[in-house]
Each structure stands twice: as C-alpha cells, then as structure tokens.
Amino acid sequence: MIGVGTNGYATIGARKIGSGYDVPEGVDIRGRYDEEFAKILTKDALQFVVDLQLEFRNHIKYALECRKESKRKYNEGAVPGFDPATRYIREGEWICASVPPAVADRKVEITGPVERKMIINALNSGAKVFMADFEDALSPSWENLMRGQVNLRDAVNGTISFHDKARNRVYKLNDQTAKLFVRPRGWHLPEAHIFIDGEPATGCLVDFGLYFYHNYATFRQTQGAGFGPFFYLPKMEHSREAKIWNNVFEKAEKLAGIEKGSIRATVLIETLPAVFQMDEILYELRDHSVGLNCGRWDYIFSYVKTFQAHPDRLLPDRVLVGMTQHFMRSYSDLLIRTCHGRGVHAMGGMAAQIPIRDDPVANEAAVELVRKDKLREVKAGHDGTWAAHPGLIPACMEIFSNNIGNAPNQMKTVKREDAANLTEEDLIQRPRGVRTMEGLRLNTRVGIQYVAAWLTGSGSVPLYNLMEDAATAEISRVQNWQWLKYGVELDGDGLGVKVTKDLFGRVVEEEMARIESEVGKEKFRKGMYKEACKIFTRQCTAPILDDFLTLDAYNHIVIHYPKISSRL
Ligand SMILES: CC(=O)SCCNC(=O)CCNC(=O)[C@H](O)C(C)(C)COP(=O)(O)OP(=O)(O)OC[C@H]1O[C@@H](n2cnc3c(N)ncnc32)[C@H](O)[C@@H]1OP(=O)(O)O
Ligand SMILES: O=CC(=O)O
Ligand SMILES: [Mg+2]
C-alpha cells in the first residue's frame, strides 16, 4: 500500500521510495507527491517529455543564446529591422495550411489561468475559444501547474466539475462550449521541479508534453473535428524559435501516430524583434499555423527591453501607451496584412478593463472603452479578439458580429495592402506623451501588489479595476527601471522633478503604506507584500535590466521535497 508521508514523499509502509512517482531513467521529480498528479506524471507521459527535452534542449539553448547576442547588438545602438537574408520569404508567394473548420470562427476568445472553476466558466462563457493559460495569467508553482494539467484533462474529457462549498454551487460544462487552446510557458522558463539528465526541464515542453500526451486523442474526436490540439505560443523573438516549435509539433505528431499538420498554433507577436519576423514565423509554422495575435502588453514591455540602452526612446506614462500610438497601430496593421496574405487569422488583443461590479457608471465607462478598442480592431481587419472576463463577452461579440456579419472571419475580405508601405521606423516610432509622478507611483503600487499575488499563487488579479498579469506588471517594472536609469524628468506634472533613487525610495515607502491601508493590516501582514517589495525594488534599481521579472521571482516559489525552498 502506497501512502504519502508528511514530507510529501510516497512511502511503502515506512520505506521512502524517492519522489513517489514512477519515473523513466534520468528523471527526478522534486515536486510534492499527489495521487492526482501521479495520474498526469505517468512513466509514459514523462518519457514523452524526456524525448522532447533530449531532442530539443540544444536548439533551445542556442535560441536563447541568440537572444543574448541580439540584446548585445541593441545595447550597442542597433535597432531591430527586417532581415535581408529572408527577403525571399517575405516576398515569396506561399500560404499556410488551410484553417481547420472547427476554429474558422474565433470572433471572441476568453483567456484565463488553468484554474478549475475558471476553466468551466470560460468554456461556458459563450466565447468561441478559451485560451487556457500556463503563462502570463499563471503563477507557475508546482501546485498550479499540476492541478492545471488535471483540470485540462478533465475538461477535455468533459467530466470537469467544481463544487463551491461556500456558495453551495456546483459548476459543470454546458452542452456548447468554447474551443480549447492552451498556452504553454515561454522558452526561457525552466521547470525546476522536474529534472531531466540532471538539468531542470524546459517549462514549455513540460506544459505542452503533458497536455498533448494525455489529451490529443480525445481532443481530436470531441473538439477539433480531426484536428488539434490547439495552442497559443508566447514571447518568441525570432523565426528560429518558431522552427523549434514546428519540429516539436512534428515529433509529437509522429510519436502519437497522427497526421502532420494536426496540431495548430497561433503565435503571439509580443516582442519588438518578432514584428520584423512575422512572415518568417508563419513560414516556419506554415503546416501548423492558425494565425498571429497582437500580444500588446508584452509588446510594450519588449519595446522598453529592446531599447533599454536607447535614451531617445523612453516611454511616457504606462496608461498613455495604447493601441492608437503610431508604433502600436503600425504593428497591428502589418500583422493583419501578413496574416491575411498567408491565409490565417489575425487576432486582436486584450483590453485591460474588467467589469466594475459596485459602480454602474464606472462600469459603463469601462465597458465603453472595451467597445471602442474592439471596434478599432474589427474595423482594422482583425478576425477576432480577446476578453479577460465573461462579463465582457456580449459587448465584444456584438461588435465583431455586427461588423463581420455571418462570415466566420474577414481573412478574404480585408487585405490591408496599404500596410505594405509601413517602414521600419513606423514600427519603432517613439510613443508620445508625458511622464508623471502618478505614473511612477501607479507602476510601483501595481508592480508590488502583482508580485505579492504571484508569490502567493495568483498570476492574474484585478487591481484598480484593471486586469493585471505578468505582461502588464513587466511594463510597470521596466518603465520604472528606465526612468531611474536615465533620471527622466517628470514633465507632465509641471514640477520638473527628476526620477532618482532617493525619490524612488520615498515613493516605494509611501506606496507600501498606501497598499497597507487599502488592503488592510491583516491581509498586508499575512500576504507577501514585503517580499514582493524587495524583489520589485531590486529589479527596478538593478544596474543591468533583468530579462524577466518572473525568472528571479520563480526562485521564491520553487519548493523541493523534502520541503525546502530551493534556488536554481
Ligand atoms: C496580457 C495577457 O496575456 S492577457 C491574457 C492573460 N490574462 C488573463 O487571462 C486574465 C484573465 N482574467 C482574470 O484572471 C480575471 O478576470 C481577473 C483576475 C482579472 C478578475 O477576476 P475576478 O476578480 O475573480 O473577477 P470577478 O469577481 O468579477 O468574477 C466573476 C466571475 O467571473 C469569473 N471569471 C472572471 N474572469 C474569468 C475568466 N477570464 N475566465 C473564466 N471565468 C472568469 C470568476 O471566476 C467569477 O465566477 P463565479 O461568479 O462563478 O464565482
Ligand atoms: O499575452 C498577451 C500580451 O498582451 O502580452
Ligand atoms: Mg503576453
């Protein structure tokens, strides 16, 4: 009889048997043992992940090295642009494999973390697609990741349910549900609870591998009409990274014995270098693509990161960097032209507003901002958009349906040939606007509260009536870093104050006091605000910009068994 000891290890009688999981050779599971997790972490499923890891680990390492090399060049003054060596791809006449009928209509997609109740609510929401997120919206703790896999398996099997005991409410799937897409983590994040050959596994291969292994057969029967599973792929910077994903898909298809081109993915264009690689990315994934998506929040973050050594391209207040800024509009226009020219969906992005329950006037104003954003997207030629909350779906659906009509999308009707004239400068033009003390304060208040939530297991949270996730928090962090590094003048206040370490130190202190009074002493004491403040402040003041907020913060949520907190 196998039981679980207090340290989380499985036991036979009193004998400890390693992690408790039955693992293939070379695999060491350092996360907590759980009977439910063991049904996901089967020996065969882990072997599937191992096969992916061993085949692709060097390609991934090389791609990450290339990112460093590009960063070095940008830091020496270069700016990203189109690659002359791949002009033949941009100018070539080719199209992607045709879109599977099951996902031809993606007018509104809801997104959310792979949390049980939210998965059910999202699938029942009336959206065409649900993007289940292991990425921006999820804090990648062992518990969240493994529970997420259990939840997705139950969702694909149609057996998922949730009992909210406090409200005595049982959640189940409706007859009609949204089509499921899954977003694994980015290439840069390790999975420190699973070691393969003595190294942490690559996070996204764990997310992809476990989900694919357990669900591909059922998914293709019940959801994909012979296609699938479907994915969203985040944070790529270059087509060589898309090529790795394409090879991962081909290998998975081969191992599963399903047709090449079954798996389909939408790539988020959410880094500045990637906007110059959109044709190339689609080309690499041409048998597996269902489009590109404007990941606007990471894109803004990436603008700051790419230009971290370019003081002539500093950002104004975060709230002023929206889709109507020239560089953002140019990016979405070019994305639409590129996708429609290659026969795939051009997806819009996420408006950050969420419903405001206790204030009807403010709520109407928030929904109106979402409507405006969606109207701009559909008129520009997008085929669909994202909604952060079920309460926004009717408004988004109405706008997309009214403007697209009965057709599933506007791939054939809106070509946006005018976007062919966009230049490299259009795509990197500095955003206009002022910088204010309130901008600095808001970044700080939001950044600290987001990190505190992330450290305690929540990767997406409502703050000041907006959705905040890893991407939006990154903007707050890098913007503070940039303003501090260049000692910018806060020119929007009429005070002419310069951002210095002293000023920032005072702002942090005052904003921490404000957070405490807003959330209450009890929650403040029990929460991880002080730890979050330390992490956020260190990153904002670091002499060299950290690549990702979540890489450093990840060390704080790794829990190895026997129970010790462990740094990579
Ligand atoms: C930059 C990017 O990458 S964007 C994509 C990643 N980000 C996301 O996916 C964010 C998704 N959205 C969310 O996580 C949430 O909407 C939040 C955290 C912003 C707000 O959540 P809450 O404060 O719980 O919202 P609220 O209390 O209004 O929720 C009301 C109901 O809607 C549900 N709900 C809210 N958002 C979602 C969602 N995205 N998916 C499914 N259900 C949802 C809640 O679970 C709740 O259900 P219940 O009434 O059955 O209990
Ligand atoms: O992932 C989406 C984004 O905006 O970032
Ligand atoms: Mg993103």
Side-chain angles (χ1 to χ4, degrees), residues 51-99:
D51 290 347
L52 298 178
Q53 178 75 24
L54 296 188
E55 179 153 345
F56 297 108
R57 63 182 168 189
N58 289 337
H59 300 267
I60 298 165
K61 281 180 189 160
Y62 175 70
L64 295 179
E65 279 307 309
C66 291
R67 284 190 188 175
K68 281 191 196 151
E69 180 55 19
S70 302
K71 180 166 89 170
R72 191 187 58 73
K73 286 188 192 147
Y74 302 142
N75 284 352
E76 285 174 6
V79 295
F82 294 105
D83 183 352
T86 47
R87 178 187 290 270
Y88 74 99
I89 294 177
R90 292 191 297 280
E91 293 180 358
E93 295 218 349
W94 51 270
I95 55 168
C96 295
S98 52
V99 167

Side-chain angles (χ1 to χ4, degrees), residues 199-218:
E199 279 182 334
T202 305
C204 59
L205 294 184
V206 172
D207 303 340
F208 166 81
L210 294 176
Y211 171 71
F212 178 85
Y213 184 86
H214 288 290
N215 300 292
Y216 75 87
T218 310

